[in-house]
Amino acid sequence: MKLDGPALYAMMLSASNALNNNREAINNMNVFPVPDGDTGINMSLTLDAVKQIDDPSVKVSDLSKKIASVILRAARGNSGAILSLFFRGMSKAFVDVEEVDSADVARAFRKGTDEAYRAVMNPTEGTILTVMRKCTEAAEQAAAEGRFKGDVRGMFEYIVDIGADALAHTPDQLPILKEVNVVDAGGYGFMTALNGMLAALNKKPVELINTTPATESGEADFANFDTDSITFPYCTECIVEKSEEFAGEDKAEELHKFVGGMGDSVVFAEDDTIIKIHVHTDHPGLVLDKACEYGMLVTVKVENMRKQHSALVASEQEVKEAKEAERAPVIAEPVNEHGFVSVCMGEGVRSTFLDLGVDNTIFGGQTMNPSTQDIIDGVMATPAKNVFVLPNNKNIYLVAVQAAKLVKDRNVIVMETRSVPQGISAMIAYNADASVEENVAMMNDAIAAVKSISVTHAVRDTVIEGERIENGQMLGMLDGKIAHVADTSEECIENIVSGMTNASFVTVFYGEDISEDQANGVVDIISAKLPDAEIVVVNGGQPIYTYIISVE
Amino acid sequence: MFDYVILTDSGSDLTVEQAKELDISLIDLSLLVEGGEPRKNRDVDVKGFYGLLREKKSASTAAVNIQDFLAAMSECVDAGKDVLYIGFSSGLSSTFSAGYNAAQELAEAHPDRKIYAVDTLCASLGQGLIVYLAAKMRLEGKSIEEVRDFVEQNKLNLCHWFTVDDLFFLKRGGRVSAATAVVGTMLGIKPVMHVDNAGKLIKVTTARGRRASIDALAAKIGETGIDPANQTMFICHGDCIEDAEYLAEKIKKDYGVKEVVIGYTGVVIGSHSGPGTLALFYLGTER
């Protein structure tokens, strides 16, 4: 039995459904109990892109090109990126092929595996990569021995057997897996996809049974939130550069009062040259008109919060449509020399990046990895010839690198920022007068000088390095590794900073559920441990992490 | 008694006492503080001036005009002396241009006298340091031409590195944008700046926090300093003597700097950089 276009498409669709059906199970295999169990979602959303293909009844070569292209752009997270690269490699092997036989399958696995390995700088064994490689080696050997000649189904069945065995052995290669008694989540996802493909070959393709939309994270939270409770729908923000008449401090009290009467969530800041307004209102136009009386508008942003929220609880299809509308291709003329795109979550963190000169931010972080296409869009909306991308998370870096390769008409530089503090430090080090190379060097120095602490809560019971972690306990992470577990954020922070010396500057970004008073309590703890350090506190407003702290 | 006068302006931040000690003439720029009368530089109490700045009073300085230069230079010429004017960066003030024009005019009227003007492209105690070195050479018996050529040849080796504590003043002078000043203040970003080869103040890099910014000044000696152990280096401060002393200690310890002279950042630069300005000056391979 050989394979034609429609049959290949059926396999991909079946693989995509299989991943979708199993995504919760894959999420839960995540090794760390930090709330970033998103491997299943990322892989599922990546393969989901095959549904965008409207006409699968074409030649295998054309179809696989199409598959590679849509999957590559939809890739999210590390496992998603690796999966997309695997299929991209596969599709390259199918160029000039009309019908696939089992030798082609072996070649395709080899090409896919090579592409995936190449993209990962330090390949770790005992992961999805190992499973891919073992499958490939078995397929190649079978092909060399002349087994399964025209029998693609038989070949696939054999590969899946080998893969299942390789997956079962991942805990022997990666001690952390053994410790928490799971197999590698990415490898499991890969095998889920292969099983889906095999099912299609067996004429029993996997149907989609998982009907809850993949809203990626925090579904329950958003769904429980009642749209009607948004009284004033328009989030309106602007910065006014004051005219002569209003120069000086406290000259715009009347404007403050006016804005206060227009809605709620008012933030009004004034110094002697600018006014910054934030208000949720029914009448953004009136607010802006009034603001204009005090000088020139420098920046304006109006967002409909009801729509944003509806989009979050909408069905999968609606999410897609909303995203596409939002994505109405904004392509900015590359007029500037340098531009910046930063991935972040939390209004305070976001506005800090914007104030530091970032052109565009992409919503995303630990539990919500943006896709390749999201990053490409962010880059294209940035009016610069050279665009620096700050992924600010290790799980987003690979996808950002992939996006950089897909952008042809501007130079994209992906900085290896693994945390928000690193991203901020990179921005601070940036010098508009220096060349791209000089800036990369300066930013890398700044990134290397930062230690990042983050605190979040454990989402399940587990044991790591012999230590019991209970659901709900706080996890203090230092540069991405669990450094201390305790009942409160404060204890975690105190313990981690105790081990630090020679710190001169500390920035504390406190999360959306933390009050200013609580944050100041943390400052007292830090200053007791690091008496020589200067400490600043920023309302980061980030979800998931109670605190993100940089120490330099 | 020397047969030529070294004249400098108060952009050099040398005090009247230091000028007397080095036997040089000092001509004053004027200071205008919001709601006050213009005053000659030497009549201003520097500590009080920083007090006014802390109240966010705005201050500006007025350049020396050509008349004042003509008067000062004529006095020397009438006393039968040549004149070497070592002036404040033309990138920051029109003072040098006035001094240069006065020198030209006087030289035409007195073809027998040597009247030279050198644009140091330096500021504050950077200019002060090169004037100090010039005065030392004169003491060693060097001619007016030798001293003039020394200043010309070394002025671009006079490194100025400084940092400020409060971005408000740079923002007011239009040197950083309002938005940058707000976020910079919030995040404790301290600019590390210098005076470039065109004699202008530019931001080169940034540091997180005050101590890091001061350490960054010291580290510049490691990058460009020529034989630091045998140099006299100048530090000036905008009413933050403890920071100046910390820096002095640090460069003595890290680089074995022979001698450090600490002074105030005067009103000319201080008006723009504010209290908490800290600057380091030394001879290096390049600015």
Side-chain angles (χ1 to χ4, degrees):
Chain A
M1 184 205 129
K2 293 189 174 185
L3 194 63
D4 58 8
L8 179 61
Y9 180 75
M11 286 170 77
M12 293 304 301
L13 196 62
S14 176
S16 157
N17 289 340
L19 273 176
N20 209 332
N21 294 344
N22 287 290
R23 59 168 201 252
E24 285 308 320
I26 301 170
N27 285 347
N28 290 334
M29 301 178 86
N30 217 46
V31 170
F32 288 123
V34 291
D36 80 331
D38 57 354
T39 306
I41 283 166
N42 284 335
M43 295 182 91
S44 159
L45 285 171
T46 302
L47 266 203
D48 210 36
V50 296
K51 291 182 188 151
Q52 292 167 20
I53 298 170
D54 18 342
D55 181 17
S57 58
V58 292
K59 286 191 298 187
V60 170
S61 54
D62 292 341
L63 181 67
S64 44
K65 248 185 250 168
K66 187 79 196 154
I67 291 172
S69 155
V70 296
I71 292 182
L72 202 58
R73 284 165 187 275
R76 282 167 205 264
N78 269 341
S79 317
I82 291 171
L83 193 67
S84 76
L85 287 163
F86 178 82
F87 282 108
R88 180 181 141 100
M90 256 195 159
S91 79
K92 283 187 184 164
F94 288 155
V95 174
D96 305 327
V97 173
E98 293 224 0
E99 285 189 8
V100 177
D101 67 15
S102 44
D104 292 325
V105 171
R107 278 198 303 119
F109 265 78
R110 166 54 61 199
K111 196 100 183 100
T113 303
D114 286 353
E115 293 248 334
Y117 262 89
R118 201 172 311 139
V120 181
M121 264 167 301
N122 302 305
T124 306
E125 291 300 334
T127 63
I128 181 172
L129 289 170
T130 312
V131 180
M132 284 176 177
R133 184 170 54 76
K134 294 244 168 106
C135 289
T136 299
E137 285 163 4
E140 278 177 332
Q141 200 184 346
E145 288 166 2
R147 297 162 68 192
F148 309 114
K149 288 226 153 134
D151 181 10
V152 171
R153 199 204 63 81
M155 179 70 148
F156 235 89
E157 201 170 49
Y158 174 65
I159 292 174
V160 166
D161 263 1
I162 299 289
D165 189 54
L167 177 64
H169 281 98
T170 52
D172 299 331
Q173 293 165 298
L174 207 55
I176 186 90
L177 297 176
K178 189 159 234 164
E179 213 166 328
V180 295
N181 198 24
V182 290
V183 295
D184 177 64
Y188 186 88
F190 178 65
M191 287 314 298
T192 304
L194 290 192
N195 271 309
M197 294 170 95
L198 179 61
L201 282 169
N202 285 329
K203 303 281 182 244
K204 286 177 193 154
V206 178
E207 302 286 333
L208 186 65
I209 49 168
N210 194 344
T211 47
T212 35
T215 44
E216 298 166 29
S217 71
E219 298 164 64
D221 287 350
F222 286 120
N224 288 338
F225 193 77
D226 185 357
T227 323
D228 294 338
S229 68
I230 300 177
T231 334
F232 299 104
Y234 299 107
C235 170
T236 307
E237 278 181 65
C238 65
I239 293 177
V240 182
E241 198 171 296
K242 288 196 213 171
S243 56
E244 286 287 350
E245 196 187 341
F246 297 100
E249 274 167 45
D250 301 323
K251 298 284 170 62
E253 257 317 295
E254 225 186 288
L255 178 61
H256 190 172
K257 276 189 209 131
F258 175 84
V259 174
M262 294 300 293
D264 62 12
S265 300
V266 175
V267 179
F268 190 93
E270 180 189 7
D271 72 5
D272 53 1
T273 56
I274 62 162
I275 302 170
K276 197 169 175 180
I277 300 171
H278 171 279
V279 58
H280 296 166
T281 178
D282 279 321
H283 304 288
L286 294 180
V287 172
L288 297 177
D289 273 353
K290 190 76 183 175
C292 279
E293 293 174 23
Y294 289 78
M296 284 209 310
L297 291 173
V298 186
T299 58
V300 172
K301 196 187 83 185
V302 179
E303 283 173 355
N304 183 328
M305 297 185 297
R306 277 192 195 135
K307 282 273 187 252
Q308 284 178 339
H309 174 254
S310 302
L312 284 168
V313 292
S315 74
E316 203 165 356
Q317 187 55 32
E318 279 171 305
V319 169
K320 226 156 96 186
E321 279 166 17
K323 279 201 169 164
E324 265 152 33
E326 200 179 277
R327 179 179 291 168
V330 184
I331 296 182
E333 275 296 304
V335 285
N336 302 330
E337 201 54 40
H338 307 144
F340 284 86
V341 174
S342 176
V343 182
C344 58
M345 276 178 165
E347 194 45 44
V349 174
R350 177 172 173 270
S351 62
T352 302
F353 272 114
L354 291 176
D355 289 344
L356 284 169
V358 162
D359 301 85
N360 280 302
T361 57
I362 298 170
F363 183 77
Q366 188 70 19
T367 55
M368 188 161 179
N369 302 157
S371 71
T372 311
Q373 188 66 47
D374 293 338
I375 292 173
I376 292 173
D377 291 344
V379 168
M380 295 313 289
T382 301
K385 298 184 191 89
N386 301 290
V387 181
F388 295 89
V389 176
L390 307 174
N392 304 333
N393 188 293
K394 68 174 167 35
N395 292 335
I396 300 173
Y397 175 73
L398 203 54
V399 163
V401 168
Q402 195 155 298
K405 286 185 188 143
L406 292 174
V407 175
K408 292 298 169 218
D409 48 355
R410 45 195 91 187
N411 180 29
V412 184
I413 307 105
V414 180
M415 302 304 299
E416 211 175 337
T417 53
R418 287 161 177 267
S419 64
V420 164
Q422 289 188 340
I424 299 234
S425 292
M427 273 320 290
I428 291 171
Y430 166 69
N431 180 351
D433 298 323
S435 69
V436 169
E437 293 72 26
E438 287 166 337
N439 269 308
V440 167
M442 286 189 287
M443 287 193 272
N444 278 336
D445 285 349
I447 291 167
V450 185
K451 287 202 181 310
S452 310
I453 300 171
S454 50
V455 184
T456 188
H457 57 280
V459 289
R460 57 187 157 82
D461 296 346
T462 190
V463 175
I464 287 188
E465 288 173 18
E467 194 173 357
R468 253 187 86 76
I469 298 173
E470 281 168 35
N471 188 357
Q473 275 196 302
M474 302 310 292
L475 302 174
M477 325 266 293
L478 177 60
D479 291 330
K481 294 197 172 68
I482 295 178
H484 191 73
V485 183
D487 290 335
T488 65
S489 299
E490 287 76 7
E491 284 172 63
C492 288
I493 293 167
E494 181 164 20
N495 180 281
I496 295 174
V497 296
S498 297
M500 293 181 161
T501 48
N502 206 24
S504 69
F505 202 86
V506 178
T507 314
V508 178
F509 292 90
Y510 60 95
E512 58 182 359
D513 298 327
I514 300 295
S515 70
E516 201 179 333
D517 285 348
Q518 282 173 297
N520 286 329
V522 163
V523 169
D524 293 341
I525 290 170
I526 299 173
S527 77
K529 294 289 172 190
L530 304 171
D532 292 336
E534 275 177 63
I535 306 173
V536 299
V537 187
V538 180
N539 180 355
Q542 72 273 4
I544 300 155
Y545 294 104
T546 52
Y547 294 95
I548 298 176
I549 299 171
S550 74
V551 182
E552 310 175 42
Chain B
M1 285 300 273
F2 304 106
D3 59 0
Y4 58 97
V5 172
I6 293 180
L7 171 68
T8 191
D9 53 65
S10 62
S12 66
D13 286 345
L14 291 172
T15 61
V16 172
E17 294 71 32
Q18 282 168 321
K20 198 170 276 169
E21 206 172 297
L22 296 169
D23 199 5
I24 58 171
S25 299
L26 192 59
I27 192 165
D28 278 318
L29 282 80
S30 306
L31 172 72
L32 187 61
V33 177
E34 186 183 353
E37 291 292 308
R39 279 176 300 162
K40 290 281 178 204
N41 224 334
R42 72 186 65 198
D43 300 332
V44 177
D45 159 46
V46 191
K47 204 160 173 66
F49 159 77
Y50 279 108
L52 292 173
L53 288 187
R54 286 199 177 92
E55 292 165 21
K56 304 286 190 232
K57 285 249 176 18
S58 69
S60 58
T61 45
V64 183
N65 64 34
I66 195 164
Q67 260 68 40
D68 290 348
F69 269 114
L70 280 173
M73 290 176 177
S74 298
E75 201 179 299
C76 308
V77 171
D78 292 344
K81 293 191 188 284
D82 296 336
V83 180
L84 173 60
Y85 166 52
I86 304 178
F88 185 36
S89 171
S90 60
L92 294 172
S93 165
S94 62
T95 297
F96 177 76
S97 156
Y100 178 78
N101 288 326
Q104 293 291 94
E105 204 173 311
L106 224 53
E108 269 170 43
H110 302 273
D112 52 324
R113 287 263 77 93
K114 297 167 179 173
I115 304 169
Y116 301 126
V118 184
D119 177 4
T120 61
L121 299 172
C122 290
S124 186
L125 281 183
Q127 179 189 348
L129 178 52
I130 206 156
V131 168
Y132 165 87
L133 295 171
K136 293 271 178 204
M137 284 182 74
R138 184 177 58 173
L139 208 58
E140 289 163 14
K142 304 286 191 218
S143 71
I144 186 168
E145 284 82 9
E146 283 173 309
V147 174
R148 178 198 62 190
D149 294 348
F150 167 82
V151 174
E152 274 296 355
Q153 284 157 17
N154 289 281
K155 65 189 190 187
L156 294 182
N157 296 99
L158 206 300
C159 301
H160 305 55
W161 285 102
F162 70 101
T163 184
V164 304
D165 199 30
D166 187 347
L167 293 171
F168 170 83
F169 295 89
L170 294 184
K171 184 193 76 177
R172 190 160 70 186
R175 287 189 164 84
V176 303
S177 74
T180 307
V182 171
V183 68
T185 303
M186 183 174 84
L187 296 176
I189 301 172
K190 307 295 178 190
V192 175
M193 309 174 75
H194 87 152
V195 174
D196 68 5
N197 284 343
K200 292 184 187 301
L201 304 183
I202 62 160
K203 187 195 103 175
V204 178
T205 166
T206 43
R208 281 310 278 290
R210 179 69 167 171
R211 201 181 86 196
S213 71
I214 299 174
D215 290 349
L217 301 183
K220 292 295 171 190
I221 296 176
E223 290 172 25
T224 59
I226 300 170
D227 190 14
N230 284 308
Q231 279 199 48
T232 295
M233 296 191 184
F234 283 15
I235 289 173
C236 70
H237 66 94
D239 205 23
C240 52
I241 185 70
E242 294 86 359
D243 291 339
E245 282 164 355
Y246 167 81
L247 178 60
E249 271 315 298
K250 186 166 177 62
I251 63 176
K252 282 180 184 163
K253 186 167 141 273
D254 292 359
Y255 301 102
V257 175
K258 182 181 73 178
E259 190 189 1
V260 180
V261 178
I262 297 177
Y264 265 104
T265 308
V267 302
V268 180
I269 296 294
S271 298
H272 299 289
S273 56
T277 303
L278 188 66
L280 171 66
F281 309 95
Y282 61 90
L283 283 171
T285 49
E286 59 176 351
R287 279 194 178 179

